[in-house]
Amino acid sequence: MNETTQENLDPADWPALRHQGHRMLDDIFDYLERLRERPVWQPIPNAVRDRYAEPLPREGLELAEVHERFMHEILPYAVGNAHPGFMGWVHGGGTAVGMLAEMLAAGLNANLGGRNQMPVEVERQIVRWMRELFGFPASASGLFVTGTSMANFIALLVARTAALGTSVRREGVTSAETSLVAYTSASAHGCIRQALDLAGLGTDALRIIPVDDGHRMDLGKLESAIAADRAAGLKPFFVVATAGTVDVGAIDDLSAIETIARREGLWFHVDGAFGALGMLAPELAPRLAGIERADSIACDFHKWLQVPYDAGFILVRDGDRHQETFSSPAAYLSREARGLAAGSPWPCDFGPDLSRGFRALKTWFTLQVYGADRLGRVIAGTCALARYLGERVAAEERLELLVRPSLNIVCFRHRGDDPDRLNRDIVVGLHESGVAAPSTTVLDNRLAIRCAIVNHRTERRDIDALLEAVLALGATDTHPTVHASK
């Protein structure tokens, strides 16, 4: 019998791969170093887009050829959130350090579902650091996930188990004697509604509480809603406060909501997608008072902490309750006291994923290299830039500041006869110019230009360039009107 050789995917020429790898690394370093020379965003040419309708490749290409395609067809047409002029939505800018850590993690190719390995210990160390940051007990648990949408969903499932017991995992929510209801504000992220859908509770089980003049949850209306549901024979079980609302960056009164939750026996969860990490900035941390008493906190390291995507995180005060919500013993996941199957409980005991990437490494590198204090100063700096933008808008009679900046988000618009159309056109014009990339939102039925200053690379000159472009685009409108300030 002839001996056959199993084909593998390692290179036949390691020195050639090393040479090409260095070139690829240099190219991406050049991209990051020279971001300001590029447009924030540019439309994808049809010819480029059409290439991505090609059929499955049957024969491979040289790595250098595929890299060239990346450089010419993919890199120039990304969303642009690494650029200092990107101010749309709430996207972090990433760092070269985080990128290098991601490269190391990819080379290691560790599966962090569990087992006795040092990458799991890295994740556990970050859990301990988050306990320290938020004042949680040593018994609290934590888990890396894709983002806060998944973190909020996990928190809801743990709260459901706390309300109905572990039998809900077998019998489902329909076995409960009374229907569960949850609460969040009108300014909360849409993923809260989606979480109730995915959990089988239905979106009708979510009570949307109006906000006050500061875009924070109205506490009186929250209490009234809870009382009405109890009177109707329903079971209130979960309230979500927001630390950094998606529209304007408002922070709910966490202490007051926690007091209501404790009195009413509700699970108190904080959606702190970006705002929770304000705890790293001494000037912002007092505004998050009460977060240390939450039952669970969701946040994204890929936003204010500038970790490359994706790196979401959930922290749960009651680690035992967290584990009993997800742990699923199976013969192929048996645990031992020694060997590779030691180290229980594993990360897969705290969430739905068994296959998990090493997200913790780029977060660990970021915290180790920059330190919590410097990262806190970067966070505070984005808020200072938002105040600067707000001041400049307020001083310009052609512009209207719609909300005083709370954190790092500024909502304003250009005045005009048809301001919604005008400002929508201005934002599209900004995107296509490549100068800046804000987003839009609607506040009190008025379309606003929304600038979320998250990127650590953004400076005053980027704010100035944005405003100069807004005014120039507004001046080209066919029916411009300048009104006196309100």
Side-chain angles (χ1 to χ4, degrees):
M1 182 179 295
N2 294 330
E3 183 178 349
T4 59
T5 301
Q6 174 65 40
E7 184 174 10
N8 69 56
L9 301 177
D10 283 336
D13 187 343
W14 280 98
L17 177 69
R18 190 181 303 272
H19 176 77
Q20 178 61 28
H22 288 167
R23 178 184 172 187
M24 294 166 72
L25 190 59
D26 283 341
D27 280 351
I28 204 68
F29 279 151
D30 287 345
Y31 165 74
L32 292 173
E33 184 179 7
R34 300 169 185 166
L35 274 171
R36 289 185 181 278
E37 300 171 14
R38 294 178 171 272
V40 180
W41 176 86
Q42 54 186 334
I44 305 169
N46 289 334
V48 172
R49 196 186 297 272
D50 290 346
R51 284 206 67 178
Y52 289 80
E54 60 194 8
L56 175 70
R58 290 294 176 180
E59 297 295 330
L61 302 174
E62 292 295 325
L63 176 60
E65 184 177 349
V66 179
H67 175 223
E68 284 302 304
R69 286 195 62 180
F70 169 81
M71 293 300 297
H72 293 100
E73 299 172 6
I74 298 174
L75 181 146
Y77 308 109
V79 72
N81 54 295
H83 196 287
F86 186 93
M87 303 174 199
W89 306 276
V90 181
H91 290 10
T95 66
V97 165
M99 180 198 75
L100 291 171
E102 187 81 311
M103 178 187 69
L104 296 177
L108 194 60
N109 195 33
N111 180 354
L112 266 74
R115 300 182 177 84
N116 187 11
Q117 55 170 317
M118 200 60 204
V120 171
E121 294 302 325
V122 173
E123 181 161 341
R124 287 171 177 159
Q125 181 173 51
I126 294 174
V127 171
R128 287 190 286 271
W129 287 347
M130 292 303 103
R131 290 176 190 149
E132 176 186 346
L133 180 64
F134 293 109
F136 270 43
S139 57
S141 56
L143 188 74
F144 273 85
V145 292
T146 52
T148 293
S149 293
M150 177 57 74
N152 288 332
F153 180 48
I154 287 176
L156 176 69
L157 294 177
V158 180
R160 185 190 66 177
T161 301
L164 300 179
T166 55
S167 62
V168 70
R169 297 184 62 187
R170 301 187 310 274
E171 300 170 0
V173 295
T174 57
S175 64
E177 294 181 0
T178 58
S179 297
L180 299 178
V181 286
Y183 308 85
T184 196
S185 85
S187 293
H189 196 278
C191 67
I192 305 299
R193 180 184 293 272
Q194 183 187 55
L196 273 89
D197 173 12
L198 296 176
L201 299 173
T203 58
D204 285 350
L206 181 63
R207 305 293 185 256
I208 303 299
I209 308 302
V211 295
D212 60 20
D213 291 342
H215 294 266
R216 304 186 305 172
M217 190 187 301
D218 187 308
L219 302 178
K221 289 185 170 58
L222 170 63
E223 292 178 301
S224 296
I226 294 170
D229 284 329
R230 288 203 190 282
L234 302 175
K235 184 178 177 62
F237 83 111
F238 186 64
V239 59
V240 181
T242 305
T245 59
V246 66
D247 277 333
V248 301
I251 301 173
D252 285 332
D253 188 335
L254 305 182
S255 290
I257 295 173
E258 189 274 340
T259 298
I260 295 170
R262 290 290 164 263
R263 185 179 70 233
E264 298 289 344
L266 276 61
W267 185 280
F268 173 46
H269 175 66
V270 176
D271 176 358
F274 77 92
L277 291 175
M279 289 293 291
L280 291 167
E283 55 266 61
L284 298 180
R287 299 182 57 191
L288 294 161
I291 198 170
E292 73 283 357
R293 301 198 298 275
D295 290 304
S296 51
I297 303 169
C299 66
D300 285 328
F301 296 129
H302 55 234
K303 291 187 169 76
W304 252 352
L305 206 66
Q306 312 298 329
V307 172
Y309 279 84
D310 51 35
F313 191 78
I314 177 69
L315 186 68
V316 179
R317 177 176 298 278
D318 187 340
D320 290 340
R321 186 60 54 85
H322 186 184
Q323 184 176 350
E324 70 184 17
T325 301
F326 290 99
S327 182
S328 298
Y332 52 85
L333 294 176
S334 62
R335 316 299 165 86
E336 304 293 342
R338 297 167 52 197
L340 192 53
S344 184
W346 293 346
C348 66
D349 296 322
F350 297 94
D353 294 323
L354 179 57
S355 298
R356 304 174 64 250
F358 196 2
R359 296 183 181 98
L361 187 64
K362 55 193 173 184
T363 307
W364 185 81
F365 262 78
T366 298
L367 287 162
Q368 291 280 17
V369 171
Y370 298 113
D373 291 347
R374 184 177 178 188
L375 292 165
R377 291 194 297 272
V378 168
I379 288 170
T382 64
C383 296
L385 285 174
R387 292 193 297 273
Y388 172 70
L389 174 56
E391 291 164 0
R392 285 217 51 195
V393 168
E396 171 56 64
E397 66 173 1
R398 289 170 289 179
L399 304 178
E400 179 183 6
L401 184 65
L402 297 182
V403 180
R404 187 172 70 87
S406 174
L407 288 175
N408 61 330
I409 298 176
V410 183
C411 293
F412 69 99
R413 66 180 185 171
H414 200 293
R415 300 182 191 274
D417 286 333
D418 186 359
D420 285 359
R421 176 199 56 77
L422 170 61
N423 285 278
R424 185 177 290 109
D425 290 347
I426 286 174
V427 168
V428 172
L430 288 168
H431 292 175
E432 294 180 343
S433 74
V435 171
S439 60
T440 63
T441 191
V442 176
L443 300 175
D444 299 325
N445 297 315
R446 296 179 294 174
L447 186 133
I449 300 173
R450 176 181 171 277
C451 295
I453 305 168
V454 187
N455 195 329
H456 61 99
R457 301 181 180 96
T458 304
E459 300 174 1
R460 283 197 175 200
R461 55 177 163 164
D462 303 299
I463 303 298
D464 295 338
L466 163 77
L467 288 177
E468 181 179 340
V470 167
L471 293 173
L473 288 165
T476 64
D477 186 56
T478 55
H479 301 289
T481 301
V482 176
H483 300 285
S485 55
K486 291 177 68 177

